[in-house]
Amino acid sequence: MFLEVFNQKIKEFDNEISLFIKREDMIHPFISGNKYRKLKYNLIRAKEEDQTALLTFGGAFSNHIAAVAFAGKEYGFKTIGVIRGEELSLKVNENPTLLFAQQNGMQFYFETRENYRNKDSDAYKNTLKSLFDNFYLIPEGGTNALAIQGCKEILTEEDNAFDYICCSVGTGGTISGLINASSKHQKVIGFPALEGGFLNDDIRKFTQNINWELIEDYTFGGYAKTTNELIDFMNSFYDSTKVPLDPVYTGKMMFGIDDLIKKNYFPNGSKILAIHTGGLQGISGMNVKLENRKLQKIKFDG
């Protein structure tokens, strides 16, 4: 079942700044948010090439792995997931993401972290071809030119009313599509889940526009890292809006937007649109980790 995407008003602040969130997480129950957008044209291309299998890459709680597994089942493809961390082969039943992918037909190939770093090399791709024969390869996170094409469709004509477009950033594909679809009067702000600044060059491969900025002050220690402060914010946000956030991407983005508003980063009267890119399937796995550490869990009714 596909649901309508809509813009939900979150709050209007004293300085007349208004904040809306685009509920891309509602686009599909299992292929939600930017994963649906990234996969759309890749699935079409795979069909055009008469491919019968999709192969991709991801970690223990990868939204991308879960989405590709379900998309394969939904659209008639065999799916293969190259998973970072060979120790995970013994923990599939303890991992909600991998268990979901397996239940939807994905075949796993567990790889050492050392070898996984070479996944983009021709030699490694040839090894995969010798193991799995023909397949349509989708990069880790799903980012390629076809993914950018899909992510451009996140913004619609009515979104021209906003001054700022904000999104979380993993591999840079979603924000590249947003930048290419944005209007000249808009600024696109990305909140990376990873530290290091390397994403700027990755994004420039897909866009020539300059109306964008990455703000790396809200990574909370890096990818999949979290703190009580972040979880407190996410749970408070959920209580007041009933919008669930994930701790890897959208939670950090919304925390960053809220903090920047308090610091007067945005001019008075600004209209801000935050893109909810989904990723909620990862909450179950994160809550298991938080419970093991005797920390508070993330509120989510899904």
Side-chain angles (χ1 to χ4, degrees):
M1 178 180 178
F2 291 85
L3 303 177
E4 182 181 359
V5 175
F6 59 94
N7 293 344
Q8 177 178 341
K9 189 169 186 177
I10 298 300
K11 188 176 180 181
E12 189 152 352
F13 297 84
D14 292 339
N15 49 2
E16 298 182 347
I17 290 176
S18 55
L19 174 60
F20 289 72
I21 189 166
K22 195 175 191 75
R23 296 297 306 273
E24 287 281 302
D25 60 306
M26 304 291 286
I27 200 169
H28 189 282
F30 300 111
I31 318 170
S32 75
N34 63 342
K35 300 308 176 190
Y36 176 87
R37 302 292 190 178
K38 288 182 174 183
L39 288 173
K40 177 180 176 180
Y41 290 107
N42 276 288
L43 295 175
I44 291 172
R45 177 66 57 82
K47 286 286 188 184
E48 291 173 346
E49 295 180 0
D50 294 323
Q51 297 283 357
T52 59
L54 309 173
L55 184 144
T56 196
F57 309 85
F61 300 104
S62 168
N63 299 319
H64 177 66
I65 287 291
V68 170
F70 192 89
K73 179 182 177 182
E74 186 95 330
Y75 297 104
F77 293 97
K78 174 184 175 182
T79 55
I80 304 157
V82 179
I83 308 300
R84 182 180 64 251
E86 58 184 344
E87 75 281 358
L88 294 172
S89 63
L90 303 175
K91 300 179 180 180
V92 171
N93 289 334
E94 304 168 21
N95 183 302
T97 299
L98 296 181
L99 185 59
F100 174 84
Q102 184 181 72
Q103 290 171 341
N104 282 280
M106 179 170 277
Q107 175 186 354
F108 295 134
Y109 180 68
F110 294 95
E111 185 57 278
T112 65
R113 283 169 167 74
E114 182 179 359
N115 288 341
Y116 190 88
R117 295 188 189 99
N118 300 318
K119 67 183 183 303
D120 296 323
S121 70
D122 290 338
Y124 192 82
K125 291 175 184 177
N126 288 334
T127 298
L128 293 175
K129 288 177 182 177
S130 69
L131 289 170
F132 301 109
D133 199 15
N134 292 326
F135 53 78
Y136 182 88
L137 190 146
I138 301 175
E140 182 177 28
T143 292
N144 58 17
L146 292 173
I148 309 306
Q149 181 181 347
C151 288
K152 282 182 64 176
E153 297 177 358
I154 293 173
L155 294 182
T156 63
E157 188 174 342
E158 68 177 16
D159 297 327
N160 283 331
F162 293 96
D163 305 298
Y164 294 88
I165 310 296
C166 298
C167 76
S168 50
V169 182
T171 56
T174 302
I175 192 172
S176 297
L178 293 171
I179 294 166
N180 289 338
S182 64
S183 298
K184 290 182 179 180
H185 72 276
Q186 296 176 316
K187 183 173 183 178
V188 183
I189 302 175
F191 295 84
L194 291 164
E195 299 173 327
F198 60 92
L199 282 166
N200 288 282
D201 291 336
D202 291 343
I203 293 167
R204 291 189 187 103
K205 296 175 185 176
F206 295 107
T207 183
Q208 296 181 336
N209 296 346
I210 59 173
N211 61 328
W212 58 277
E213 177 185 8
L214 298 185
I215 298 179
E216 297 187 355
D217 298 334
Y218 305 100
T219 63
F220 288 85
Y223 182 79
K225 303 278 182 71
T226 188
T227 66
N228 276 327
E229 182 184 22
L230 177 62
I231 296 171
D232 280 339
F233 171 83
M234 291 169 57
N235 287 342
S236 176
F237 187 87
Y238 182 72
D239 288 339
S240 62
T241 66
K242 298 306 175 189
V243 178
L245 302 172
D246 84 286
V248 178
Y249 295 110
T250 55
K252 295 176 180 181
M253 171 193 69
M254 289 306 307
F255 185 101
I257 294 170
D258 183 75
D259 191 53
L260 290 175
I261 291 172
K262 292 173 182 175
K263 292 177 176 177
N264 298 316
Y265 173 92
F266 300 101
N268 291 352
S270 296
K271 293 188 68 176
I272 305 167
L273 180 64
I275 310 299
H276 196 312
T277 49
L280 301 177
Q281 66 83 30
I283 293 177
S284 296
M286 180 62 77
N287 275 340
V288 170
K289 294 174 65 175
L290 293 171
E291 188 172 27
N292 290 339
R293 293 163 56 193
K294 295 181 169 51
L295 299 174
Q296 67 170 321
K297 298 199 294 186
I298 300 160
K299 293 182 180 180
F300 179 47
D301 294 332

